[in-house]
Amino acid sequence: MADLTVDLAGVPLRNPLLLASGIWGETGASMASAYAAGAGGVVTKSIGTAPRTGYANPTVEPLGPVGFLNAMGLPNPGIEEYPAEIDVARAGGAPVIGSIFAATPREFAALARRMAETGVVALELNLSCPHARGFGSEIGRDPRRVERIVRSVVGAVDLPVLAKITPNTADPAGLARAAERGGAHAISAINTVRALAIDVDLARPILAHGLGGLSGPAIKPVGLACVWQIYEAVQIPIVGIGGIGSAEDALEYLLAGARAVQIGTALSGPGVALFGTIARELSARLDALGIDRWEAAVGRAHRPAPGPSAARSPFPGPSRMAEPRGTP
Amino acid sequence: MTPPSRTIVPIEAVTPETPSTVTLRFPWTAGARPGQFVMVWIPGEDELPMSLSYPEGPLGGVTVKAMGETSRKIQDLRRGDRIGIRGPYGTPFDLTPHRVLIVAGGSGAAVLAPAAEAARREGHSVDVALGAVTAGELLFRERFERMGARVEVATDDGSEGTRGYVTPVADRLLEGNPYDALWTCGPEVMMRRVADRAERAHVPVICSVERQMKCALGLCDACALGPYHVCVDGPLLPWERLKDLEEFGRSYRDPAGRRKAYGPGRP
């Protein structure tokens, strides 16, 4: 059986499959269920300094096989109440990554300190929610602000810091570079892709907020391209997110450069049992590919084997797989 | 996995059921089963989870109590107004039990009436303990009687039937009859009391549960109840899953996900 364990910026994970932020992460019991079902770890809902109810419904619009459009509006119980949920998740054994959102570097740092006291193993900075005024991608599409926020948080806590960046920009890799300059220990990419649905009969947007973010199968190629470009731009590890619902999807992200992945939308239907399913499939598929460790194949598609041998054996043996990153 | 998409439908009829409840009927071809719910979008206002009081079509329907601002806005809707419906979602009733006791508190009858009708169509016997604050608020009493169910009534003010809560009526029926299922919907404290008694009588209980709802797709965690999500694991949940949940009957989560205690409840 292939080894699925991951070292994510110093955080050991039993497998690379993480619960994505915003999904099942409002309550501790749900996060504990995700871990019990086979996730390698969980990312909390994005937590702010004060409670927020989020936008009015409709907050979600199903778009058939394309995926889901959503604008939740960052609902969360606030950092004062939320640690009780983290306690429940941790009691179930889950490594918890605390997602936070704020408007300024100072506010981010204060929130990060509070979140760090809860026993989370790392922080993920939401610099990418595509539809919240004053938060998320509104600040996270400016590389200088990304750098300042990351630097402020990294200076405030003694935990690995993941910067979750937006795809809604001309240069996602530039944002990742900015985060790396600020001292980020890893990049999470991507958040949802800004999107809209209009009801023709009523001639109005369906979501109460109007604009939303697209998740699900349609954004997998977008996420892959971002991870691909970011891999070539930074040295820190990448957590791939966007449209992952199978072992094959996870492997695509792995080969594009992701060291771990997050799963969200695909849980609609199968629920968290999907984590166990994908973990099993992943092991079997890696075995079939002749890869003994998940981590050994990070970014492998950036340096395919040259010449005719490529067609016969894209993974030509353990000695080649031990190559350090960046080798031609 | 392709969840049901949204359809925009014109309201065909608006029928007041009691002074505080109204039924909206609309063209409906999705073929829902009793117990399931839909997300009802009132454009420009809100979108709310509602159990189908008429699940099967060709005219679907929901029956709503006037609580909260949006429910009042629903009462302002008129024939011809357009609303959005997505669903059906959630678990339907299992219609195999032969002798069913239904315990409905207030607007809980909205989801239980179509379930009772379906059970009657299967030839099963249905008894109903129906409770409300006052006689005029007894929801779907005639509908239950029309389908051939035995109906016993309780009102808080004693204006009809037993004075007080519906739970003693349910207790009495449980003592005298060999039911093989109890279906209940109403205030959670009521359901907890009723289910506890039924368990002692070895009658399996199904509770129809309500929680804050946003996506209705099993993702957003707004409707989390212990390890369950009411939108996909419910809204019907067997008592065995509920009884050990500290929250059931005691607390709920607000739209921010904060835990809130239920006010002093009706037993």
Side-chain angles (χ1 to χ4, degrees):
Chain A
M1 292 288 276
D3 177 3
L4 294 181
T5 59
V6 168
D7 178 318
L8 178 63
V11 176
L13 302 171
R14 65 182 178 184
N15 71 47
L17 311 174
L18 304 172
L19 176 72
S21 182
I23 309 291
W24 280 56
E26 196 162 282
T27 68
S30 292
M31 291 187 280
S33 307
Y35 184 70
V42 300
V43 186
T44 69
K45 190 154 271 205
S46 288
I47 303 300
T49 48
R52 265 173 77 103
T53 55
Y55 301 136
N57 280 348
T59 43
V60 176
E61 172 70 355
L63 296 173
V66 166
F68 297 134
L69 180 65
N70 89 81
M72 309 304 295
L74 295 169
N76 80 97
I79 193 65
E80 300 301 326
E81 289 198 27
Y82 193 72
E85 308 296 340
I86 294 178
D87 289 345
V88 173
R90 292 181 65 224
V96 179
I97 297 174
S99 172
I100 55 174
F101 73 93
T104 65
R106 184 187 297 261
E107 196 190 340
F108 258 108
L111 195 53
R113 277 189 213 100
R114 292 297 313 276
M115 185 59 98
E117 291 165 5
T118 64
V120 295
V121 296
L123 300 178
E124 185 177 85
L125 312 184
N126 182 343
L127 301 165
S128 42
C129 172
H131 47 66
R133 184 146 301 160
F135 301 110
S137 66
E138 214 169 85
I139 51 177
R141 62 183 171 229
D142 174 355
R144 285 163 307 178
R145 290 174 88 172
V146 166
E147 185 179 340
R148 277 202 300 273
I149 289 166
V150 171
R151 180 166 289 127
S152 167
V153 171
V154 168
V157 296
D158 197 17
L159 283 176
V161 174
L162 289 64
K164 185 170 179 179
I165 65 162
T166 177
N168 302 310
T169 168
D171 184 18
L175 293 175
R177 265 194 304 269
E180 187 180 46
R181 276 198 304 277
H185 304 91
I187 302 294
S188 298
I190 56 176
N191 205 315
T192 53
V193 176
R194 189 166 54 230
L196 177 66
I198 286 176
D199 186 88
V200 170
D201 288 320
L202 302 174
R204 66 185 304 148
I206 292 171
L207 298 184
H209 183 258
L211 290 173
L214 183 64
S215 67
I219 73 164
K220 189 183 78 173
V222 179
L224 279 169
C226 287
V227 167
W228 178 275
Q229 290 183 300
I230 292 166
Y231 183 81
E232 300 202 329
V234 302
Q235 295 302 310
I236 51 180
I238 303 163
V239 180
I241 314 163
I244 298 168
S246 68
E248 209 67 12
D249 296 335
L251 286 166
E252 277 194 80
Y253 271 94
L254 168 75
L255 299 174
R259 181 164 298 263
V261 296
Q262 295 180 14
I263 300 175
T265 300
L267 302 180
S268 182
V272 286
L274 186 64
F275 282 110
T277 308
I278 294 184
R280 279 189 301 277
E281 286 174 5
L282 209 49
S283 252
R285 192 76 170 92
L286 286 170
D287 287 344
L289 290 166
I291 302 173
D292 60 350
R293 287 193 313 121
W294 158 276
E295 284 197 314
V298 175
R300 169 64 43 161
H302 289 262
R303 39 184 198 285
S309 68
R312 292 194 301 272
S313 174
F315 299 102
S319 59
R320 294 284 305 268
M321 280 187 293
E323 272 178 23
R325 257 196 61 185
T327 322
Chain B
M1 177 267 323
T2 300
S5 57
R6 191 187 304 275
T7 51
I8 304 295
V9 295
I11 295 171
E12 293 270 332
V14 182
T15 314
E17 302 287 356
T18 73
S20 78
T21 51
V22 65
T23 295
L24 308 175
R25 302 298 295 270
F26 44 83
W28 176 249
T29 52
R33 290 158 65 196
Q36 294 188 291
F37 73 97
V38 289
M39 294 297 284
V40 177
W41 178 34
I42 306 144
E45 299 292 348
D46 204 345
E47 183 193 47
L48 293 166
M50 292 182 197
S51 286
L52 287 154
S53 53
Y54 296 91
E56 276 142 57
L59 276 192
V62 293
T63 302
V64 197
K65 195 163 173 68
M67 286 186 337
E69 202 162 311
T70 303
S71 289
R72 280 198 300 278
K73 277 163 189 157
I74 284 170
Q75 294 215 352
D76 291 338
L77 290 169
R78 298 287 173 264
R79 183 184 151 85
D81 288 350
R82 285 176 299 181
I83 55 174
I85 305 285
R86 68 180 169 101
Y89 297 119
T91 48
F93 278 99
D94 166 18
L95 296 173
T96 50
H98 292 284
R99 291 184 60 99
V100 181
L101 174 59
I102 279 177
V103 184
S107 57
V111 65
L112 294 169
E117 273 166 359
R120 289 293 298 142
R121 276 203 303 274
E122 299 284 314
H124 305 326
S125 84
V126 176
D127 292 352
V128 180
L130 182 63
V133 287
T134 186
E137 289 293 342
L138 289 163
L139 178 63
F140 288 144
R141 180 184 185 171
E142 280 96 55
R143 189 174 167 191
F144 282 119
E145 285 169 350
R146 222 167 29 240
M147 69 181 81
R150 177 166 63 143
V151 183
E152 299 216 6
V153 162
T155 52
D156 293 6
D157 64 359
S159 52
E160 190 151 2
T162 306
R163 175 190 288 271
Y165 302 138
V166 74
T167 37
V169 177
D171 293 347
R172 204 165 58 236
L173 287 166
L174 273 169
E175 271 164 36
N177 298 279
Y179 298 110
D180 54 5
L182 188 154
W183 300 341
T184 181
C185 184
E188 282 183 18
V189 272
M190 178 207 91
M191 291 198 279
R192 202 172 243 291
R193 245 302 293 285
V194 166
D196 195 52
R197 290 295 176 90
E199 184 184 9
R200 277 183 266 163
H202 306 289
V203 179
V205 177
I206 299 292
C207 299
S208 179
V209 176
E210 205 173 82
R211 278 293 180 277
Q212 185 70 229
M213 225 167 265
K214 293 182 179 179
C215 75
L217 299 160
L219 289 176
C220 75
D221 219 17
C223 67
L225 172 61
Y228 308 113
H229 291 100
V230 171
C231 68
V232 290
D233 300 315
L236 307 183
L237 285 164
W239 172 237
E240 307 87 76
R241 287 180 167 201
L242 293 168
K243 65 179 183 181
D244 295 327
L245 296 183
E246 180 269 328
E247 306 143 79
F248 182 64
R250 301 190 185 96
S251 68
Y252 63 99
R253 287 177 189 273
D254 74 0
R258 282 175 294 187
R259 203 182 277 241
K260 300 284 177 190
Y262 280 118
R266 300 148 52 91

